[in-house]
Amino acid sequence: MSSYRWTLDLQMFSQEKTERATPKKREESRKKGQVAKSSELPAAFIMLVSFFSFMMLGGYYKERLIRMFGLIFEQKLMMELTKENVLTLFSSLMMQIFMLLAPLFIITVVIGLVGNYVQIGFLFTGEPLKMNLNKINPLKGFKQIFSMRSIVEFFKNITKLIVIAVIVYLTVWNQRAHIMQLGSVPISYMFSFIGSITVKLGLEIGSILAVLAVGDYIYQRFEHEKSLRMSKQDIKDEYKKSEGDPLIKGKIRERQRRMALQRMMQEVPKADVIITNPTHFAIALQYDGTKMEAPTVIAKGMDFVALRIREVAKENGVITMENKPLARALYERAEIGDVVPADLFQAVAEVLAYVYKIKGRVK
């Protein structure tokens, strides 16, 4: 009973997602569009940079506003209402509005692209656009409403609202004396004061939101890493899928060894001599002076393979000679298909000369 319980606990432990995600799991998750990303980071910096542009490009915005209202009240106010005049006025107003908002459009696009690239790099995938019925599953949606992520998002939004409200309240409260006097000041001063307060609020709120957005990005990375965690069993299964089942790979290697052994045994009858240890090693040598520069090892083996080489040699009438030092040296220093090492030429030549003498022919 205790061993069964220990086995069950071990299985449960192997299923716990305690391991960091493998590179393959990260790549698959990225292809599906599942990346650590905070949508608030680009939005916060867009707001911050946009209000900063009001300070840097205040003269440009002022000039464009004066041109736009001057076009209406100074040039077109008394114009004749015809189709051509209205189209001309509309085109001019659209151009002035476009020129007025062009810096904001450029800032939005650039910050949006840079903000996303900094977070996730270059990523283009249509996986999130595919039809997925789980997204409209009421039970799953109900779980997401009361999930930890939803709770964090709720408190995050409440925190932002409270921070913005406090900043606006403190700013307006500190300027209450000036605000009470706006009814008795020139309209140009009124617009200047309201503009300065608006820009100040925008910069302060944008800065706070940027700090919160950075914190949100860190949290999103933490949640993403947590969602990618794998169990030990998951890692084993992934390894089997990518590298293949060890049992199957072992069978394949065994089959390859058998095929290689079979091919080697087919070369043994072509040998001129088999040099043995006599029981541990067997090396088959072949030499053809018209084709080879030196004797070549066409088969070699140890123990069982050596025994099989000797049997095949005996069946095909190949001479076997015992030479323990030469057999060991050839086995250790020459592979199948290699020529005999130069320092062993003399010993091998003596063996071959003896073999040719036995066969009654001289080379």
Side-chain angles (χ1 to χ4, degrees):
M1 184 66 179
S2 60
S3 61
Y4 171 77
R5 193 170 191 180
W6 182 82
T7 304
L8 185 62
D9 291 340
L10 185 61
Q11 291 177 351
M12 292 179 63
F13 176 75
S14 65
Q15 294 297 327
E16 292 182 0
K17 297 185 181 298
T18 57
E19 307 300 316
R20 290 175 60 86
T22 60
K24 186 173 184 296
K25 176 69 177 292
R26 294 179 185 277
E27 184 64 24
E28 291 177 351
S29 176
R30 182 177 176 82
K31 289 180 179 179
K32 295 178 182 179
Q34 300 172 357
V35 291
K37 175 185 174 183
S38 173
S39 58
E40 297 184 7
L41 195 62
F45 279 95
I46 286 173
M47 179 179 179
L48 181 61
V49 177
S50 296
F51 276 96
F52 186 74
S53 72
F54 291 150
M55 295 178 59
M56 302 300 296
L57 303 176
Y60 174 84
Y61 290 118
K62 178 181 178 181
E63 180 184 353
R64 290 297 166 184
L65 284 172
I66 291 175
R67 284 190 182 185
M68 185 172 65
F69 286 105
L71 178 67
I72 299 174
F73 295 110
E74 294 180 0
Q75 302 178 24
K76 304 295 184 180
L77 188 61
M78 302 299 294
M79 74 175 184
E80 183 181 357
L81 292 178
T82 62
K83 181 179 179 181
E84 291 77 10
N85 290 340
V86 171
L87 289 175
T88 302
L89 175 62
F90 182 77
S91 300
S92 299
L93 284 176
M94 289 297 100
M95 180 57 67
Q96 293 297 329
I97 293 173
F98 174 77
M99 295 298 294
L100 177 67
L101 299 178
L104 295 178
F105 289 152
I106 295 173
I107 289 172
T108 301
V109 172
V110 172
I111 297 298
L113 293 175
V114 172
N116 283 278
Y117 181 79
V118 169
Q119 293 183 83
I120 63 175
F122 181 77
L123 177 62
F124 181 79
T125 177
E127 193 70 24
L129 301 178
K130 291 183 178 180
M131 184 68 177
N132 188 356
L133 297 179
N134 289 329
K135 293 181 179 179
I136 58 176
N137 186 347
L139 183 60
K140 187 175 180 179
F142 183 78
K143 290 181 179 179
Q144 290 180 348
I145 292 175
F146 295 96
S147 64
M148 180 58 67
R149 178 180 289 271
S150 298
I151 296 174
V152 171
E153 290 292 328
F154 173 77
F155 281 105
K156 182 178 66 178
N157 293 330
I158 291 296
T159 301
K160 288 194 297 184
L161 289 175
I162 293 174
V163 170
I164 293 173
V166 170
I167 292 175
V168 172
Y169 173 78
L170 292 176
T171 301
V172 174
W173 181 256
N174 291 333
Q175 299 293 332
R176 64 185 184 280
H178 294 86
I179 294 174
M180 298 299 294
Q181 297 175 1
L182 290 179
S184 58
V185 299
I187 191 169
S188 59
Y189 177 81
M190 181 187 301
F191 281 119
S192 176
F193 176 77
I194 293 175
S196 64
I197 291 296
T198 303
V199 171
K200 181 181 178 182
L201 281 174
L203 291 175
E204 291 177 353
I205 293 173
S207 301
I208 296 298
L209 292 182
V211 173
L212 294 177
V214 171
D216 180 64
Y217 173 67
I218 296 173
Y219 170 75
Q220 296 297 338
R221 284 187 63 88
F222 170 77
E223 283 293 314
H224 181 66
E225 289 293 327
K226 185 178 178 180
S227 66
L228 289 179
R229 285 180 185 172
M230 304 172 67
S231 64
K232 295 183 183 296
Q233 187 62 41
D234 292 336
I235 296 177
K236 291 181 181 179
D237 294 340
E238 182 185 284
Y239 177 79
K240 287 182 179 179
K241 289 180 181 179
S242 59
E243 300 294 333
D245 194 325
L247 295 177
I248 297 177
K249 290 179 68 177
K251 291 180 179 179
I252 294 175
R253 285 195 295 268
E254 180 62 27
R255 182 178 179 86
Q256 291 173 341
R257 282 194 294 267
R258 288 200 301 267
M259 294 176 65
L261 180 62
Q262 184 177 2
R263 288 193 299 268
M264 186 178 69
M265 292 304 171
Q266 292 174 355
E267 297 293 322
V268 172
K270 302 177 184 178
D272 292 313
V273 64
I274 307 296
I275 300 176
T276 64
N277 194 28
T279 57
H280 295 320
F281 302 105
I283 295 89
L285 298 179
Q286 182 187 25
Y287 179 64
D288 185 348
T290 61
K291 299 179 181 179
M292 302 177 183
E293 296 180 357
T296 303
V297 177
I298 61 173
K300 73 172 189 176
M302 184 173 63
D303 296 334
F304 172 77
V305 178
L307 176 61
R308 182 63 183 149
I309 290 174
R310 292 197 300 272
E311 291 176 351
V312 174
K314 184 177 181 181
E315 293 172 0
N316 291 272
V318 180
I319 296 176
T320 300
M321 292 191 63
E322 178 182 339
N323 190 325
K324 295 180 180 180
L326 182 58
R328 179 179 290 275
L330 288 172
Y331 184 85
E332 294 177 351
R333 298 172 55 187
E335 298 297 330
I336 297 174
D338 292 348
V339 298
V340 173
D343 58 331
L344 298 178
F345 279 178
Q346 181 66 32
V348 172
E350 293 175 359
V351 171
L352 289 175
Y354 180 74
V355 170
Y356 296 149
K357 184 176 180 181
I358 293 176
K359 291 182 177 181
R361 54 193 175 95
V362 178
K363 286 194 178 181

